[in-house]
Amino acid sequence: DGSDIKWEFGGWLRIDHNKSTRGLSEPTIVETNENGKFAMVTRCSNTGRPELPGYAWVSFSNDYCRTWSEPRPFTYSNGENFFAPTAHSTLIKLRKSGRVYWIGNINDKNPNGSHPRYPLAIGEVDLKTFGLIKETVVILDTRHEHEGLKVQLSNFKVMENAEKEEIIVVCTRRDGSQSAKHSSWYRVKL
C-alpha cells in the first residue's frame, strides 16, 4: 500500500559550467554491491564550447542517494577517458549475477554537443573502479553508409531477460526528423 515508503528530497548535484555547458541531465542510477552505495552517470555537454571534452560524468552516494560526490568523468576501468555525446545512457544491474552494464554512445573523437550519436555500445562496469571495462565493450550498431551524419542511435530502452541471461536493447533509429517505422532489437547474450 506504499506505507513503508518515505520520500525525502536529497541534495543537489551540480557541475561547473567550465566542465559542462548545459549542466547534468538524464541520470541513470544503479546500486552497487555495497549496501547504500549508488552510482549515477549523467550526460553533459560541450555545446557552444567545442574545446571542452564531451564526457559522461559519474557521481557516487554512500547514503542512499541523499548526497552525491563531486562528478568526475566516467572512464574506462583503467582510468582512460572516452568521449560521449550529449545523449542519455543506461546502467543496468543484472538480477542473478549482480554485474552492471552501461549502454550508450561512445565516440572515437570529441563530439560536437549532441553529435554524433553513434555508435551504440554496451560494456561491463568494473564495480571496484566504477569504470567501463574496455575489453568488454561491444558495438551494437552504428551509422550505415546511406544515413546522414546526424543519425541518432540514442533513443533506446533496456530490458533484462533473467531466464535467458540476456540484455535486450530496443532502439528507434532517427535520421534528422525521420524516425524508423520499426524499432531495432538487439539481444545481448551474457
Side-chain angles (χ1 to χ4, degrees):
D1 66 0
S3 63
D4 60 337
I5 297 173
K6 182 179 178 184
W7 292 98
E8 296 176 20
F9 187 78
W12 289 98
L13 179 60
R14 300 182 187 276
I15 193 166
D16 185 289
H17 71 279
N18 287 310
K19 295 179 180 176
S20 173
T21 59
R22 293 169 56 199
L24 304 165
S25 60
E26 295 186 313
T28 178
I29 301 172
V30 68
E31 187 171 17
T32 68
N33 291 337
E34 295 178 44
N35 209 16
K37 184 173 181 177
F38 287 76
M40 174 172 37
V41 173
T42 60
R43 83 178 204 172
C44 291
S45 181
N46 65 357
T47 299
R49 300 218 18 223
E51 72 278 7
L52 294 178
Y55 297 143
W57 291 74
V58 63
S59 184
F60 301 95
S61 174
N62 292 314
D63 58 7
Y64 293 94
C65 305
R66 288 178 182 86
T67 60
W68 292 94
S69 67
E70 183 73 22
R72 66 162 172 82
F74 181 50
T75 65
Y76 289 116
S77 58
N78 65 7
E80 178 186 346
N81 287 316
F82 65 86
F83 294 115
T86 305
H88 94 282
S89 64
T90 298
L91 292 167
I92 183 171
K93 183 176 184 178
L94 302 185
R95 287 180 267 177
K96 284 186 178 180
S97 67
R99 291 160 60 187
V100 174
Y101 289 84
W102 177 83
I103 300 107
N105 302 120
I106 293 180
N107 300 140
D108 59 359
K109 60 184 179 180
N110 199 23
N112 184 2
S114 299
H115 296 285
R117 285 188 171 187
Y118 59 84
L120 179 61
I122 184 171
E124 186 175 357
V125 175
D126 179 331
L127 292 176
K128 289 182 182 137
T129 64
F130 212 86
L132 194 58
I133 303 169
K134 191 173 189 177
E135 299 77 25
T136 68
V137 173
V138 174
I139 302 299
L140 299 175
D141 202 354
T142 193
R143 182 178 77 87
H144 299 165
E145 283 184 22
H146 66 278
E147 293 174 314
L149 294 176
K150 292 200 173 181
V151 67
Q152 297 179 35
L153 299 177
S154 57
N155 302 303
F156 61 86
K157 304 286 184 242
V158 178
M159 299 174 278
E160 176 189 5
N161 183 336
E163 290 178 18
K164 293 188 176 183
E165 295 187 31
E166 66 184 10
I167 295 173
I168 300 168
V169 181
V170 182
C171 181
T172 301
R173 188 179 214 94
R174 281 187 74 179
D175 193 359
S177 63
Q178 300 295 316
S179 290
K181 292 183 181 178
H182 303 286
S183 297
S184 298
W185 288 62
Y186 312 91
R187 295 175 60 194
V188 183
K189 184 75 176 159
L190 304 169

